[in-house]
Amino acid sequence: MSPSSEGNRLGAFIASSMLVAVASFQTQKPASRVSSALKATVDPSTITNKEYEDICGVSFDQGNLHDRLKFTNFLYPKHVDVIEDIGPIAGRMVDEILLETGEKAWQPQDYLPDLSKDGWDDEVKELRKMANEVPDEIMVVLVGDMVTEEALPTYQTLLNTFEGCDDPTGDTDTPWARWSRGWTSEENRHGDLLNKYLYLTGRTDMRSIEVTIQHLITNGFNPGAEKDPYRGFVYTSFQERATKISHANVGRLAGGYGDTNLRKISAKIAGDEGRHEKAYQIFCEEIIKRDADGLIMTFGDMMRGQIVMPAELMTDGVNPNLYTDFSEVAQRLEVYTALDYADIIRHLVERWDLENIEGLSSEAEKEREYLCKLPDRYRKLAERSMNKKKKVMEEQPERTFSWIHGRSV
């Protein structure tokens, strides 16, 4: 018999077997109720949930969904095992780091005029009076920080790509899922507060800013986490500290020009970032206790690249170099500079006590030595680079921003 004939006979046999199976199912009565998800895909009068599971190899019952997703093949199974082991630590961070929700938590309205109360117009006038004293260049950096905060949907999406830390159903009751949702709920206040403050000042083109926000969320960003929870938590340990520094410095500068409202707002947001930074750094600390080689190799690899800023793909649809222009204004004001980048590396090396870790593999030991020397090396490079850039900036023309109605800074 030829191979083609044999293949045809095999195909016919499989087809006939399927027809017999379907006919058999149609004569049976369901032995149990099927889930609503199953009812959406098959007629419960012809097949039971058990029979569907036997045929497909999976069940779509709500009770079994989490277990089914749990057995997905992971890219980083060892890392997932460690992440699951420190799940109780994540639960503790939910209780100890995140604030209570609802009435007991601070809300954006606590720092803004209440337009439903008498005298609101006087409060708005006072807010605008103080905001008018803040130079345009500080407002530009504030807008850039606000746009970054408003792209929160992208960040929660990325957090849920970290293997072992995801929230597969949207309301999963695991420590990591509760951390993800709690962290997001706190971060959500930052963009709301800054957005409303900027609107009330009357200093900015809010439509241009809204266009920028929409573009940034649409464009997304890739922090290089690659679904790896180790890489993800090294990134967030770094980025939360960078964001804290930026907000704190904007508030300090605004306070110097008499805007006590913006100083308080920035301080409150920086405080949140500081608490979140602490949690992510504790997660990495716990990983080191269980897999020092893995975390150090990951940290070293990421430092050989560069920590990507979350707003690097921002655009207002007009200026293709918007992020570069924004970041250079921030550096000029010393809101966030290459020196801060170097100091964050130093902070993480000291926070995780890399100088004193022992028992590493030869590869990880080389990486540990590299990381311990990196802060000084990077700071020297940063000082040299900033001196050169300062001379270049003095010679460059001012930059125009649609965010401030086309004015230049």
Side-chain angles (χ1 to χ4, degrees):
M1 183 181 295
S2 68
S4 59
S5 298
E6 186 176 356
N8 290 336
R9 288 187 62 185
L10 179 60
F13 172 75
I14 293 172
S16 63
S17 297
M18 291 177 66
L19 289 172
V20 171
V22 171
S24 173
F25 292 149
Q26 289 176 339
T27 62
Q28 296 177 13
K29 294 182 179 180
S32 61
R33 291 180 62 82
V34 294
S35 69
S36 58
L38 181 58
K39 287 179 181 178
T41 57
V42 298
D43 183 352
S45 67
T46 63
I47 186 170
T48 67
N49 190 47
K50 180 64 168 64
E51 289 163 343
Y52 188 86
E53 184 176 353
D54 289 342
I55 294 168
C56 299
V58 296
S59 169
F60 290 100
D61 281 342
Q62 184 67 25
N64 295 330
L65 178 59
H66 178 68
D67 289 338
R68 182 173 73 84
L69 292 170
K70 188 176 178 181
F71 290 108
T72 302
N73 290 325
F74 291 115
L75 294 174
Y76 311 95
K78 181 179 180 180
H79 294 187
V80 172
D81 286 343
V82 171
I83 290 299
E84 290 183 348
D85 190 53
I86 65 175
I89 308 296
R92 199 181 81 213
M93 292 301 99
V94 172
D95 296 332
E96 296 179 3
I97 295 292
L98 298 181
L99 303 177
E100 292 188 53
T101 57
E103 287 298 319
K104 293 184 179 180
W106 74 265
Q107 301 298 336
Q109 188 56 57
D110 299 338
Y111 297 87
L112 299 167
D114 187 343
L115 304 190
S116 68
K117 293 183 178 179
D118 293 340
W120 63 267
D121 50 342
D122 291 332
E123 291 184 16
V124 172
K125 288 177 182 176
E126 181 63 21
L127 181 148
R128 289 191 168 198
K129 180 180 178 181
M130 286 191 284
N132 281 337
E133 300 302 315
V134 178
D136 276 345
E137 55 188 356
I138 296 178
M139 297 301 287
V140 164
V141 177
L142 178 63
V143 171
D145 284 351
M146 183 273 276
V147 169
T148 304
E149 295 284 0
E150 289 280 49
L152 181 62
T154 301
Y155 314 144
Q156 186 181 28
T157 298
L158 283 164
L159 191 58
N160 281 324
T161 68
F162 301 166
E163 291 187 343
C165 310
D166 59 343
D167 181 5
T169 66
D171 62 353
T172 308
D173 191 28
T174 63
W176 289 114
R178 288 188 288 112
W179 168 263
S180 172
R181 295 194 300 268
W183 172 83
T184 302
S185 73
E186 290 199 352
E187 289 282 337
N188 186 62
R189 301 175 301 185
H190 303 170
D192 283 353
L193 176 52
L194 295 176
N195 197 319
K196 291 173 182 175
Y197 167 83
L198 285 167
Y199 172 75
L200 290 172
T201 67
R203 293 279 307 279
T204 58
D205 184 336
M206 292 307 298
R207 193 176 195 287
S208 174
I209 294 170
E210 290 160 357
V211 166
T212 307
I213 294 168
Q214 188 172 18
H215 275 304
L216 181 56
I217 295 174
T218 300
N219 292 340
F221 94 108
N222 180 6
E226 301 171 2
K227 302 182 72 173
D228 182 357
Y230 289 15
R231 297 180 72 87
F233 288 151
V234 169
Y235 179 83
T236 50
S237 294
F238 192 105
Q239 185 56 40
E240 291 280 11
R241 189 170 183 82
T243 307
K244 178 186 73 174
I245 291 169
S246 182
H247 284 301
N249 283 333
V250 167
R252 174 181 57 79
L253 291 171
Y257 288 94
D259 192 338
T260 57
N261 286 326
L262 183 52
R263 185 184 65 199
K264 290 176 183 177
I265 287 170
S266 297
K268 178 57 69 172
I269 293 173
D272 273 5
E273 305 293 6
R275 286 185 297 104
H276 299 164
E277 167 203 354
K278 180 180 178 181
Y280 286 119
Q281 291 171 12
I282 288 174
F283 295 157
C284 288
E285 184 179 276
E286 293 297 328
I287 292 172
I288 289 173
K289 292 177 182 178
R290 294 158 175 80
D291 183 16
D293 277 28
L295 196 283
I296 288 174
M297 295 298 291
T298 297
F299 187 19
D301 182 61
M302 293 183 73
M303 291 300 97
R304 282 187 167 82
Q306 188 174 11
I307 296 295
V308 179
M309 296 298 108
E312 71 166 5
L313 296 181
M314 69 162 57
T315 177
D316 57 0
V318 178
N319 180 4
N321 301 313
L322 180 59
Y323 176 75
T324 299
D325 289 351
F326 151 67
S327 62
E328 288 188 355
V329 174
Q331 289 184 69
R332 185 200 311 161
L333 293 175
E334 298 185 353
V335 169
Y336 183 76
T337 70
L339 293 178
D340 293 311
Y341 190 101
D343 289 344
I344 293 173
I345 298 174
R346 183 183 303 281
H347 171 79
L348 295 179
V349 167
E350 294 176 352
R351 177 70 178 79
W352 296 329
D353 198 22
L354 298 194
E355 289 279 3
N356 298 310
I357 291 181
E358 298 177 347
L360 300 172
S361 67
S362 59
E363 293 85 357
E365 176 60 25
K366 291 178 182 177
E367 209 71 346
R368 186 195 68 81
E369 292 175 357
Y370 160 76
L371 287 167
C372 290
K373 295 175 181 177
L374 186 60
D376 288 338
R377 290 173 55 193
Y378 200 96
R379 188 170 184 85
K380 289 178 182 177
L381 290 171
E383 290 172 347
R384 195 181 311 156
S385 173
M386 287 183 66
N387 289 333
K388 289 181 179 179
K389 184 164 285 190
K390 191 175 293 185
K391 294 178 181 179
V392 172
M393 285 183 176
E394 291 172 356
E395 299 172 357
Q396 286 183 341
E398 293 184 331
R399 292 166 174 79
T400 299
F401 289 87
S402 64
W403 299 339
I404 52 173
H405 299 282
R407 297 192 295 274
S408 298
V409 297

